[in-house]
Amino acid sequence: MDEGGTPLLPDSLIYQIFLSLGPADVLAAGLVCRQWQAVSRDEFLWREQFYRYYQVARDVPRHPAATSWYEEFRRLYDTVPCVEVQTLREHADQVLHLSFSHSGYQFASCSKDCTVKIWNNDLTISLLHSADMRPYNWSYTQFSQFNQDDSLLLASGVFLGPHNSSSGEIAVISLDITSCSVLWLNNAFQVRAGAPCSSPLRQPPAEAPCLAWCPPAVSHPQDVESENVNVVKRLFKIQNLNASTIRTVMVADCSRFDSPDLLLDTGAPPGRIFDLGSDSEDEAGGPGPGPTPARTKEGLRRFLDGFLDGRAQPQLSEHALETKVAELLAQGRTKPPEHSMADAHKLLIFTTGCLTYSPHQIGIKQILPHQMTTAGPVLGEGRGSDAFFDALDHVIDVHGHIIGMGLSPDNRYLYVNSRAWPSGSVVADPMQPPPIAEEIDLLVFDLKTMREVKRALRAHRAYTPNDECFFIFLDVSRDFVASGAEDRHGYIWDRHYNICLAKLRHQDVVNSVVFSPREQELLLTASDDATIKAWRSPRTVRIHQAPRPRPYRFFSWFGSQRR
């Protein structure tokens, strides 16, 4: 400025100069004088900085909840949990899964060392309890989930039987301040701490696992007057084809769909969803009446006659013929859905498949209010060979091997980790699925519209082949989605802009990631390197480390440490 306080340079010229600077330099220049400080906060300037720095497509609008481009830039840079603050080494082997309590004050970890550990989630994380499952002949623990009031923990693992046999087993662990104890192993109460469970065993195409639901009002064995009282009933009977299995089960609460929708469609490809009740994929607008057994038998007869007469094109292998016959038979043994999706109270979501044993489809089945009762047959009853199988309301075919699923906090969006099959590949042998890609696609589906709504998120990779492929757990917070990977990193993306914001390094495969339900600026990662790492945002780290009172309020949020 001159001696009279008049700026020597017009704002427009300073603006053009600032456009050529990076974000850190713009912030530093804003400390020179009031004029420069005002220009450094210009909305158009920070819009350009945002699109250029984060490499977001220009047609993607600003997040609906954002108040300014400056604050939005700061949110993505300063609130992502990317700073490693603690490494937990109490496990002696690979850590497979992490789960937070609903309150966020505790979390559990499962490991190949055959323990379930309970941790206190404070500023410095500490170990509270450790349950050793080896006395119960378990080989390792692999999954856990807290019940609604965080008083019980459901844990699943691998039980070692006679003659080197193994099977899945579930335990319920009671938690209190001073100790934890195993209450039940593989009994009717096992499903109370979490979602419905399914049979983990591989079964022939003509069989199907039963899915069970247990009312959450019963929380302890003492609440049941007699062991003959129905506490578990068969909810659905789902048919498996070609040695496929139901491997992952979760429940979405449709009543939560009405929360503010801040996830926008940014030009996703058409959805790959069809209804099993309709006659063709073109009629997938709603749950149709479904083919009758008579129509299916007639279609099967025509198909077999054409094949035997040499008219069926193209020529099918023996396995392909079995697949086609199994699909037709399944249609004949399937009853149509009872109501429209608008009446659904909850959605049962699970991985399945009809072409091969590897999970390549997501089955969705409505759970209606009148079905959530103990009236009816208990688990295992009424499974005659002539009984109908329940129809699925929707099936999502991802044309690849599904290795992870997670729901958004409002339960509306389903995020799916998938390793794609080669384009145009055809499954001719159910026991020989196509090769899978090393690149993992993180797909997003809207459970309200049953459509794919986002371009696939990419960055993470996996290397194991089809027959050795394992689950990579992901988690979704209000603004972010995180996933593990086999490339020794965890990854964080922004849900709105579809951009990768951080890579979190480990020394081996990252099996599981989980956000704190209390604050999305805290993320935990679990790895085959036998460690659990806690990551906090730069903003949180700065607040915890800053002296009191804080002497300055300058723009330290950008900092000098780059990711």
Side-chain angles (χ1 to χ4, degrees):
M1 295 186 181
D2 59 18
E3 296 179 357
T6 303
L8 296 176
L9 296 175
D11 289 351
S12 59
L13 181 57
I14 298 175
Y15 174 82
Q16 291 297 325
I17 295 173
F18 282 5
L19 278 177
S20 64
L21 302 179
D25 294 330
V26 169
L27 292 172
L31 301 176
V32 172
C33 64
R34 293 178 180 177
Q35 181 197 16
W36 287 22
Q37 198 271 340
V39 176
S40 70
R41 290 297 193 95
D42 183 86
E43 270 291 276
F44 292 101
L45 173 64
W46 280 101
R47 183 183 65 178
E48 292 301 312
Q49 292 283 358
F50 183 91
Y51 282 115
R52 187 170 60 194
Y53 185 85
Y54 292 113
Q55 299 181 8
V56 176
R58 295 277 176 165
D59 59 343
V60 178
R62 194 176 69 189
H63 194 292
T67 57
S68 69
W69 284 106
Y70 171 80
E71 291 298 333
E72 188 67 348
F73 189 106
R74 178 172 179 170
R75 177 184 72 84
L76 293 189
Y77 194 93
D78 208 29
T79 65
V80 178
C82 59
V83 180
E84 181 182 341
V85 295
Q86 191 173 356
T87 301
L88 308 175
R89 306 181 185 277
E90 280 77 355
H91 278 291
D93 207 335
Q94 302 171 3
V95 188
L96 303 180
H97 183 257
L98 299 169
S99 63
F100 262 106
S101 64
H102 293 83
S103 67
Y105 295 124
Q106 298 177 353
F107 68 90
S109 58
C110 297
S111 169
K112 284 282 186 75
D113 65 11
C114 206
T115 65
V116 179
K117 297 188 186 297
I118 314 299
W119 307 79
N120 181 41
N121 180 31
D122 209 337
L123 184 58
T124 299
I125 297 171
S126 58
L127 180 64
L128 284 178
H129 311 296
S130 181
D132 188 356
M133 302 304 293
R134 282 172 293 189
Y136 304 98
N137 280 355
W138 280 29
S139 174
Y140 59 89
T141 59
Q142 60 182 171
F143 179 83
S144 66
Q145 183 173 334
F146 288 83
N147 70 337
Q148 197 61 39
D149 64 5
D150 297 334
S151 62
L152 301 173
L153 180 72
L154 179 146
S156 68
V158 175
F159 172 80
L160 292 177
H163 309 296
N164 295 322
S165 64
S166 61
S167 62
E169 192 163 85
I170 296 176
V172 173
I173 301 173
S174 177
L175 307 174
D176 58 40
I177 299 177
T178 59
S179 65
C180 68
S181 57
V182 178
L183 294 183
W184 314 293
L185 287 168
N186 270 20
N187 58 37
F189 302 99
Q190 68 193 24
V191 298
R192 260 186 223 100
C197 62
S198 66
S199 169
L201 303 178
R202 183 170 298 173
Q203 302 187 14
E207 293 295 327
C210 286
L211 302 179
W213 175 83
C214 178
V218 182
S219 59
H220 292 282
Q222 294 83 352
D223 295 336
V224 182
E225 296 180 359
S226 169
E227 64 180 8
N228 296 320
V229 174
N230 265 9
V231 294
V232 177
K233 65 163 287 187
R234 192 187 74 214
L235 181 59
F236 299 119
K237 185 178 180 182
I238 309 297
Q239 185 176 33
N240 282 331
L241 297 172
N242 292 319
S244 65
T245 55
I246 293 177
R247 304 189 181 190
T248 305
V249 181
M250 59 184 60
V251 175
D253 186 353
C254 300
S255 64
R256 300 170 65 180
F257 286 0
D258 293 332
S259 59
D261 181 9
L262 300 181
L263 187 63
L264 303 184
D265 187 349
T266 56
R272 296 167 289 185
I273 303 177
F274 57 90
D275 291 301
L276 290 187
S278 56
D279 292 333
S280 69
E281 294 187 20
D282 295 334
E283 301 174 6
T292 63
R295 290 173 56 193
T296 299
K297 289 181 180 178
E298 179 63 23
L300 177 60
R301 185 187 62 79
R302 290 198 304 267
F303 172 78
L304 291 176
D305 288 345
F307 179 79
L308 294 175
D309 293 341
R311 298 192 306 269
Q313 295 295 331
Q315 294 296 322
L316 302 177
S317 67
E318 179 180 353
H319 290 295
L321 175 60
E322 291 178 357
T323 297
K324 183 67 175 177
V325 172
E327 290 176 343
L328 292 170
L329 287 175
Q331 293 176 5
R333 296 169 59 86
T334 298
K335 59 183 179 182
E338 300 182 40
H339 298 277
S340 68
M341 292 295 292
D343 299 327
H345 181 65
K346 297 180 186 297
L347 297 179
L348 188 66
I349 304 169
F350 50 90
T351 58
T352 182
C354 67
L355 300 178
T356 179
Y357 69 85
S358 65
H360 58 278
Q361 294 175 333
I362 301 167
I364 299 177
K365 178 66 179 173
Q366 326 170 34
I367 306 177
L368 302 174
H370 76 272
Q371 295 172 321
M372 303 183 71
T373 171
T374 53
V378 296
L379 184 63
E381 289 185 357
R383 297 190 62 181
S385 59
D386 295 332
F388 274 95
F389 291 93
D390 291 284
L392 303 185
D393 298 301
H394 293 276
V395 172
I396 303 173
D397 195 318
V398 303
H399 197 71
H401 193 121
I402 298 171
I403 60 171
M405 293 199 306
L407 286 168
S408 61
D410 62 0
N411 280 204
R412 176 170 175 177
Y413 297 98
L414 178 67
Y415 287 74
V416 181
N417 268 335
S418 171
R419 296 175 61 182
W421 292 338
S423 178
S425 62
V426 177
V427 181
D429 184 349
M431 303 310 296
Q432 294 183 357
I436 52 179
E438 290 187 353
E439 188 174 52
I440 302 174
D441 294 333
L442 185 48
L443 311 173
V444 190
F445 298 94
D446 186 344
L447 296 178
K448 187 173 183 178
T449 63
M450 292 297 166
R451 289 293 179 265
E452 188 174 357
V453 294
K454 282 283 188 179
R455 299 186 184 95
L457 304 175
R458 290 172 179 166
H460 49 331
R461 303 180 73 85
Y463 307 108
T464 51
N466 239 323
D467 55 346
E468 300 176 11
C469 201
F470 53 86
F471 220 66
I472 298 289
F473 290 96
L474 58 93
D475 196 28
V476 188
S477 70
R478 184 187 69 247
D479 296 319
F480 308 124
V481 55
S483 175
E486 293 184 40
D487 58 12
R488 303 182 180 183
H489 289 87
Y491 291 83
I492 302 176
W493 294 265
D494 181 79
R495 292 179 59 196
H496 177 73
Y497 299 108
N498 269 31
I499 54 174
C500 184
L501 296 172
K503 291 177 63 176
L504 314 175
R505 184 168 180 78
H506 273 268
Q507 298 303 311
D508 210 328
V509 173
V510 178
N511 295 305
S512 180
V513 298
V514 61
F515 289 99
S516 166
R518 287 195 298 167
E519 50 171 338
Q520 65 174 359
E521 295 182 43
L522 169 63
L523 179 75
L524 304 176
T525 56
S527 172
D528 278 358
D529 62 16
T531 67
I532 301 170
K533 290 188 177 184
W535 309 81
R536 294 189 182 272
S537 67
R539 185 189 72 88
T540 305
V541 171
R542 197 167 57 250
I543 291 174
H544 290 162
Q545 294 179 347
R548 297 292 189 268
R550 299 177 65 187
Y552 300 105
R553 297 186 60 189
F554 291 144
F555 306 105
S556 58
W557 60 268
F558 195 88
S560 58
Q561 186 174 6
R562 303 290 184 87
R563 290 195 299 277

